[in-house]
Amino acid sequence: MFSHGADSAHDAGGVGVSSAGATVPARFVWPYGGKRVFVSGSFTRWSEHLQMSPVEGCPTVFQAICSLSPGMHQYKFFVDGEWRHDERQPTISGEYGIVNTVYLTREINSVLSPSTPGTRMDVDNENFQRTVTLSDGNIEDGTPRVSEAAIQISRCRVSEYLSLHTGYDLLPDSGKVIALDINLPVKQSFHILHEQGIPVAPLWDSFRGQFVGLLSPLDFILILKELETHGSNLTEEQLETHTISAWKEAKRQTYGRHDGQWRPHQPLVHATPYESLRDIALKILQNGISTVPVIYSSSSDGSFPQLLHLASLSGILKCICRYFKNSTGNLPILNQPVCTIPLGSWVPKIGDPNSRPLAMLRPHASLSSALNMLVQAGVSSIPIVDENDSLLDTYSRSDITALAKDKVYTHVRLEEMTIHQALQLGQDANTPFGFFNGQRCQMCLRSDPLLKVMERLSNPGVRRVFIVEAGSKRVEGIISLSDIFKFLLSL
């Protein structure tokens, strides 16, 4: 056993090792790198090494596909002269130490991991519809989980794409970017956001000649909460003259925390058009912000900056979808149902003590409770549901700017206004409650492919997709932009 000679090595790109009886194709994957990787097992009597090939575009992932007889098999990997087993797969201890095991059956008829370019397995080959992927075999509600190999291959290719493309790919052919001077009154600023239909605006300090922060719906939410608080130092009259810079500084002192989008004495978190899309996505995720200004300066000291674009995860996701949409075989997970992928937040199962319920509200809950939940949970939107938890609408942070219309915020109390009433402010008077605006309330089914969820999240203004039950629209889960990118970038 365990012969190391070159004579025992064979290319297993499509080699069948079982010579008699019915066989099923089995796919072995080693996703942990190496220079030369082989697989051997009970199906070769431990006397032959089947050479594994690196997956195209993913040099650290090796695979071998061969035909085996149904039943239990043991196997192990020979990596750069050392015997290894995959700790993430089932193992047993026996005559040959710790080895992996797999049970093959002829009844398996679903593809857990599509074929990868460069292999000899044709995705249209009838036999491939019975391919057994040696990876995560957990079954949930009768649906097989997507294989670890498919996840690793997809992550590798997305990372490669994002690393090779830059901020220039995000720039539209034409358009405008609105920036606000920090000396503008807060009230006027939110009127501008509402009238222009934009959720976020960069802040310009004309004295320093630099961009120093962002004004977002969260600022307006905190201002309204201040107005509702007894003894607030900020009165409605002061909103007429209270500048953005004064508010930002007061916010930093009042809440006792650093505002990642307000940096008056240090450089703003921003990106250059030369940075990779991967680096831009990481900046957004690591700083807990929704937008990063793309700024260009021809001077080494950063003077005379030009604001080119506001980069967001949705824009980067749109690039990914556009690039891989017509070649989904390059990303094995794109056509997999979202319920088979470890992604997002889901309604907890009955009796599960380690899970938390999803944050949801009824339409007649107070606007104050919605704003508190948005701030405390740190989410971008909240599903609004009926007594059966069926989705009616969604309330997002950006909806708060609707209160700037006709100075509504000056004569309402957040505790007295319902979410239903607040949503009506931002809709046409003839629009019935519960109308699903394509940009407001994005839904998918748990059986929908990941690509569909990604395409909906790539729409401007969409931060979360709600997974609902077919027919009843009962909320089953939520997948956000940050969920997608943390999954794809292994964060």
Side-chain angles (χ1 to χ4, degrees):
M1 177 214 162
F2 293 171
S3 170
H4 298 173
D7 293 339
S8 65
H10 297 277
D11 182 357
V15 172
V17 296
S18 296
S19 57
T23 62
V24 292
R27 185 169 183 250
F28 295 85
V29 175
W30 176 260
Y32 309 112
K35 295 181 179 179
R36 300 190 70 199
V37 182
F38 303 86
V39 63
S40 185
S42 56
F43 43 86
T44 67
R45 296 186 177 87
W46 299 101
S47 60
E48 293 184 62
H49 300 163
L50 304 179
Q51 186 169 6
M52 305 180 73
S53 304
V55 173
E56 182 180 355
C58 296
T60 61
V61 180
F62 291 78
Q63 68 175 357
I65 302 173
C66 51
S67 298
L68 305 181
S69 58
M72 181 66 72
H73 296 275
Q74 299 178 8
Y75 63 99
K76 206 161 185 174
F77 300 95
F78 190 60
V79 183
D80 296 338
E82 179 182 355
W83 285 103
R84 306 272 299 275
H85 67 277
D86 190 341
E87 296 179 354
R88 297 186 181 181
Q89 306 307 326
T91 60
I92 61 171
S93 296
E95 181 181 357
Y96 304 124
I98 300 177
V99 298
N100 292 117
T101 62
V102 62
Y103 182 76
L104 304 184
T105 172
R106 278 179 285 183
E107 282 68 37
I108 295 179
N109 55 18
S110 62
V111 179
L112 302 186
S113 178
S115 173
T116 0
T119 70
R120 302 182 193 178
M121 293 297 289
D122 187 349
V123 72
D124 297 321
N125 188 312
E126 181 179 356
N127 287 332
F128 189 69
Q129 302 306 313
R130 298 162 58 223
T131 295
V132 179
T133 301
L134 304 184
S135 188
D136 185 0
N138 294 330
I139 305 296
E140 181 178 340
D141 298 330
T143 305
R145 301 286 285 178
V146 66
S147 72
E148 183 67 24
I151 291 175
Q152 294 296 338
I153 291 170
S154 299
R155 283 172 170 169
C156 182
R157 287 180 174 157
V158 168
S159 181
E160 180 182 36
Y161 168 80
L162 293 177
S163 297
L164 293 176
H165 291 76
T166 68
Y168 274 115
D169 292 278
L170 299 175
L171 304 185
D173 294 333
S174 62
K176 63 180 180 181
V177 182
I178 296 176
L180 303 175
D181 192 284
I182 61 171
N183 292 314
L184 275 176
V186 170
K187 176 193 136 181
Q188 183 179 349
S189 302
F190 283 108
H191 275 291
I192 293 173
L193 293 184
H194 175 69
E195 292 169 358
Q196 296 295 325
I198 56 176
V200 179
L203 300 177
W204 172 255
D205 186 335
S206 55
F207 178 76
R208 298 173 57 199
Q210 293 181 348
F211 292 98
V212 294
L214 297 173
L215 189 70
S216 72
L218 179 60
D219 290 298
F220 199 17
I221 291 174
L222 295 179
I223 286 175
L224 292 179
K225 288 173 64 67
E226 281 289 305
L227 289 173
E228 285 279 292
T229 302
H230 178 70
S232 170
N233 293 324
L234 184 61
T235 66
E236 294 172 9
E237 292 75 16
Q238 285 177 310
L239 277 177
E240 302 287 340
T241 57
H242 202 67
T243 65
I244 297 174
S245 61
W247 155 248
K248 284 287 192 177
E249 186 61 27
K251 174 185 173 184
R252 185 183 64 82
Q253 296 178 2
T254 301
Y255 292 91
R257 65 188 183 195
H258 178 66
D259 184 349
Q261 297 179 333
W262 174 246
R263 296 171 178 247
H265 305 299
Q266 56 180 308
L268 171 70
V269 175
H270 71 281
T272 71
Y274 303 110
E275 290 184 52
S276 71
L277 295 184
R278 186 177 190 278
D279 288 341
I280 294 175
L282 288 175
K283 281 186 177 181
I284 294 174
L285 293 170
Q286 292 169 354
N287 288 280
I289 52 182
S290 61
T291 304
V292 167
V294 179
I295 298 174
Y296 169 77
S297 174
S298 58
S299 304
S300 58
D301 60 357
S303 58
F304 307 105
Q306 299 178 44
L307 179 62
L308 302 181
H309 186 62
L310 294 180
S312 64
L313 293 180
S314 62
I316 298 175
L317 190 60
K318 184 176 287 291
C319 291
I320 295 174
C321 291
R322 185 167 56 237
Y323 184 80
F324 289 102
K325 182 176 182 178
N326 296 321
S327 57
T328 54
N330 288 330
L331 283 191
I333 60 172
L334 283 186
N335 291 322
Q336 298 296 320
V338 290
C339 65
T340 67
I341 302 172
L343 179 67
S345 302
W346 297 81
V347 172
K349 294 182 178 180
I350 297 175
D352 186 352
N354 298 320
S355 57
R356 295 183 299 175
L358 296 179
M360 297 185 285
L361 287 174
R362 302 283 188 259
H364 297 296
S366 69
L367 178 57
S368 179
S369 63
L371 300 185
N372 287 335
M373 188 174 289
L374 286 170
V375 174
Q376 294 169 5
V379 295
S380 58
S381 61
I382 300 170
I384 309 303
V385 299
D386 63 15
E387 62 277 3
N388 298 315
D389 288 345
S390 296
L391 188 64
L392 297 174
D393 211 319
T394 177
Y395 192 85
S396 64
R397 290 186 181 185
S398 57
D399 288 324
I400 196 66
T401 58
L403 295 185
K405 183 179 180 181
D406 300 325
K407 298 184 180 180
V408 172
Y409 62 85
T410 63
H411 56 266
V412 300
R413 291 188 58 81
L414 302 182
E415 284 289 351
E416 297 174 356
M417 174 174 275
T418 67
I419 298 174
H420 183 179
Q421 294 169 332
L423 286 170
Q424 289 296 313
L425 293 174
Q427 297 178 359
D428 185 271
N430 298 320
T431 301
F433 179 67
F435 175 76
F436 291 97
N437 182 297
Q439 290 298 312
R440 279 191 48 78
C441 205
Q442 296 283 358
M443 298 179 294
C444 281
L445 304 178
R446 61 188 295 120
S447 58
D448 283 335
L450 176 62
L451 178 60
K452 183 175 182 178
V453 174
M454 290 171 58
E455 287 181 328
R456 297 205 167 180
L457 283 169
S458 68
N459 289 321
V462 177
R463 299 288 302 279
R464 307 175 98 191
V465 164
F466 302 105
I467 309 301
V468 300
E469 183 181 61
S472 70
K473 293 189 175 70
R474 184 175 62 86
V475 176
E476 295 186 318
I478 300 174
I479 298 177
S480 68
L481 272 169
S482 58
D483 290 333
I484 292 286
F485 277 88
K486 287 177 181 178
F487 169 73
L488 292 177
L489 298 177
S490 304
L491 300 178

